Amino acid sequence: MQQDRSSEERMIDAALRAWRFNADRIDAFFSALSQNQLEQEIAPGRNRLIYLWGHIAAVNDGLFPLLGLGTKLYPEMEAMFIANPDRAAVTIYSAEQVKRAWSHINEELFAGLSGWSPMEWLERHTAVSVDDFLQEPHRNRYTVVLSRNTHMAYHFGQAILTKPREKKS
Amino acid sequence: MQQDRSSEERMIDAALRAWRFNADRIDAFFSALSQNQLEQEIAPGRNRLIYLWGHIAAVNDGLFPLLGLGTKLYPEMEAMFIANPDRAAVTIYSAEQVKRAWSHINEELFAGLSGWSPMEWLERHTAVSVDDFLQEPHRNRYTVVLSRNTHMAYHFGQAILTKPREKKS
């Protein structure tokens, strides 16, 4: 990136870097685990890793319609990983299927995010009406992406608790 | 906020909103806990809540020098909550002291962040040299704030595990 980029282009670059940082560390962490390891709970009685991974992927998948990028790639993940808690009476994806969905969603999503001009980034997201957006212009795509990025970090902080004890959490 | 703000001002607004969202939910969660409750571990053998709260506050305190806003307000928290793990042979703050430091740091920090122009937001942070910044202009204040915001979310996701079981993590 060059210094002669505009301020808003540099801020978009910052948001995309922050996104990729989280997506990459989540990918590295979960992709290295076996199906058995993914059955671990993040804490006693809490979600299993495979549920958490699917949850992050499914929430990211929801960004396609929310940001006006298209429809969800894996709409069936909603029932498996968002609408129902872990171990509900619903069959969820295998590790292999979660991994494939996660990778596919993130590739397509990042490609979609990478194509917008600054003005397009600041357009309303689809869950806010035209009228409401006039009063609340912060309900835009850029804000949504920052927020979903912290959602990834929030759950990654939980997933990492299954790693052997380190000096710092 | 008005629609006639510039694109970069709207992106700064987005970053500040994202920051305040995390800072506020962390404040609401920890401030409601007693000293006894703050002694809970986030998972067996893991950090206690009081350590985690102090850790988030201490890392945020490090933003003052990193962003060129001044010196740390509570430099002694570095040894208590960053350099040493929980339960190390070092006396840490009481709940009351952590709460006071956390509030003070966040008030001063938010005031500091609220005063910058877009160009000031995109200035280098103090851990990067002038020469390196020419090659890596993404190492700026804006990127640092996005990154420290995900740091807050990462640990908040851990802290929340001490709440009674809910349907979703």
Side-chain angles (χ1 to χ4, degrees), chain B residues 97-128:
Chain B
Q97 287 173 306
V98 171
K99 181 180 169 62
R100 196 160 48 229
W102 156 261
S103 297
H104 186 199
I105 289 164
N106 281 326
E107 278 165 31
E108 295 289 323
L109 191 56
F110 201 80
L113 299 181
S114 300
W116 289 328
S117 70
M119 287 314 298
E120 286 170 329
W121 268 100
L122 293 166
E123 284 176 12
R124 70 184 170 94
H125 62 69
T126 61
V128 60

Side-chain angles (χ1 to χ4, degrees), chain A residues 7-34:
Chain A
S7 297
E8 58 263 50
E9 284 168 339
R10 293 179 63 193
M11 289 175 186
I12 291 165
D13 178 73
L16 290 175
R17 283 175 184 271
W19 180 276
R20 203 164 44 202
F21 172 76
N22 271 313
D24 285 354
R25 65 180 178 169
I26 286 169
D27 187 62
F29 176 81
F30 285 101
S31 294
L33 302 178
S34 67

Side-chain angles (χ1 to χ4, degrees), chain B residues 22-43:
Chain B
N22 271 313
D24 285 354
R25 66 180 178 170
I26 286 168
D27 187 61
F29 176 81
F30 285 101
S31 294
L33 302 178
S34 66
Q35 172 85 47
N36 268 353
Q37 289 173 312
L38 287 165
E39 295 289 329
Q40 287 175 90
E41 296 172 332
I42 53 173

Side-chain angles (χ1 to χ4, degrees), chain B residues 150-165:
Chain B
T150 61
H151 177 262
M152 284 202 285
Y154 175 101
H155 288 300
F156 183 61
Q158 298 176 332
I160 210 75
L161 292 174
T162 60
K163 283 185 77 169
R165 186 84 172 102

Side-chain angles (χ1 to χ4, degrees), chain A residues 73-91:
Chain A
L73 301 179
Y74 300 89
E76 67 274 20
M77 291 181 86
E78 167 90 23
M80 298 176 186
F81 300 109
I82 300 180
N84 290 293
D86 193 11
R87 304 181 196 82
V90 56
T91 305

Side-chain angles (χ1 to χ4, degrees), chain A residues 23 25-35 37-38 42 47-61 77 81 86 92-103 105-106 151-152 155-156 158-159, chain B residues 169:
Chain A
R25 65 180 178 169
I26 286 169
D27 187 62
F29 176 81
F30 285 101
S31 294
L33 302 178
S34 67
Q35 172 86 46
Q37 288 173 313
L38 286 166
I42 53 173
N47 292 327
R48 289 171 300 163
L49 286 174
I50 188 160
Y51 180 87
L52 212 55
W53 195 11
H55 175 72
I56 300 169
V59 169
N60 285 0
D61 200 18
M77 291 181 86
F81 300 109
D86 193 11
I92 67 168
Y93 279 178
S94 67
E96 192 55 44
Q97 287 172 305
V98 172
K99 181 180 169 64
R100 195 160 49 231
W102 155 261
S103 297
I105 289 164
N106 281 326
H151 176 262
M152 284 203 285
H155 287 301
F156 183 62
Q158 298 176 333
Chain B
S169 74

